[in-house]
Amino acid sequence: MSALRLTGLAAALALGVVLLAAMPVAQAEDSGFYLAGSLGQSRVRYDSSTYYAGSNSVGYQVAAGFRPLPLVSGEFDYTGFARAYSGVNYADTYGVGLFALGYLPIPIVQVYGKLGLVDWRTSAHSRSLSFHRSGANVAYGAGLTTSWGRLGARLEFESFDVAHASSMDFTSIGLVWWL
């Protein structure tokens, strides 16, 4: 991800926080529809038999979810992983996922687990070769979340079982807005 795109994403996230802080605070129900956005460390290592590249850099995630009950929610998200590279070779991967989340009934800070299916796409390029791969694989994770009225925060770790990657995970911190 270029520095310009990363700066723009950080500015948009900061503007969102300011706008949310200006809105009237509702009761903290932690149920209903929500939107979330996160930034964090994307760790990507591609299988050397397929394409050698890797990175530890900044990735991002945006999500929309519905929490009908205090113990469960469903979430649809988009994750943009950092560009993996090796010399002049590079690969970009993103994924669209559908997850089920289960929460432990702990007050103030809630612990949750996450399991779902991610439809991913990779575009790899080098001087002499370019290819595109796609598929659907399992993803899972765990996190902590809390909220203050309409605004919340979460800390999350996710691991993605992408077919051609030896490892792909995302550790992030983000904001949640309850609609």
Side-chain angles (χ1 to χ4, degrees):
M1 176 178 289
S2 73
L4 182 60
R5 286 172 54 189
L6 182 58
T7 303
L9 187 60
L13 188 58
L15 178 62
V17 170
V18 170
L19 292 174
L20 289 175
M23 297 180 111
V25 177
Q27 291 183 354
E29 296 179 18
D30 289 349
S31 63
F33 288 98
Y34 63 90
L35 300 173
S38 301
L39 288 174
Q41 182 181 20
S42 168
R43 191 180 71 133
V44 179
R45 298 280 179 263
Y46 292 98
D47 187 350
S48 61
S49 66
T50 304
Y51 188 80
Y52 181 72
S55 75
N56 288 333
S57 193
V58 177
Y60 63 95
Q61 185 176 74
V62 292
F66 180 64
R67 190 169 177 182
L69 302 169
L71 299 179
V72 296
S73 71
E75 189 171 286
F76 177 76
D77 67 30
Y78 175 92
T79 304
F81 295 96
R83 175 171 279 184
Y85 54 88
S86 174
V88 296
N89 302 334
Y90 66 92
D92 295 314
T93 300
Y94 68 88
V96 176
L98 185 60
F99 291 90
L101 285 75
Y103 300 83
L104 293 177
I106 301 171
I108 302 174
V109 176
Q110 299 174 358
V111 177
Y112 63 90
K114 186 174 185 179
L115 179 65
L117 187 66
V118 173
D119 181 33
W120 54 268
R121 303 280 185 266
T122 296
S123 294
H125 304 277
S126 69
R127 289 184 181 166
S128 61
L129 171 71
S130 290
F131 66 89
H132 305 281
R133 296 222 171 143
S134 61
N137 293 93
V138 172
Y140 50 90
L144 302 170
T145 187
T146 190
S147 65
W148 311 275
R150 286 186 161 191
L151 184 63
R154 67 185 190 180
L155 175 66
E156 186 173 81
F157 172 80
E158 290 178 271
S159 184
F160 301 83
D161 288 338
V162 173
H164 64 282
S166 55
S167 67
M168 187 171 289
D169 55 52
F170 185 57
T171 304
S172 64
I173 187 165
L175 297 174
V176 179
W177 179 37
W178 294 92
L179 302 175

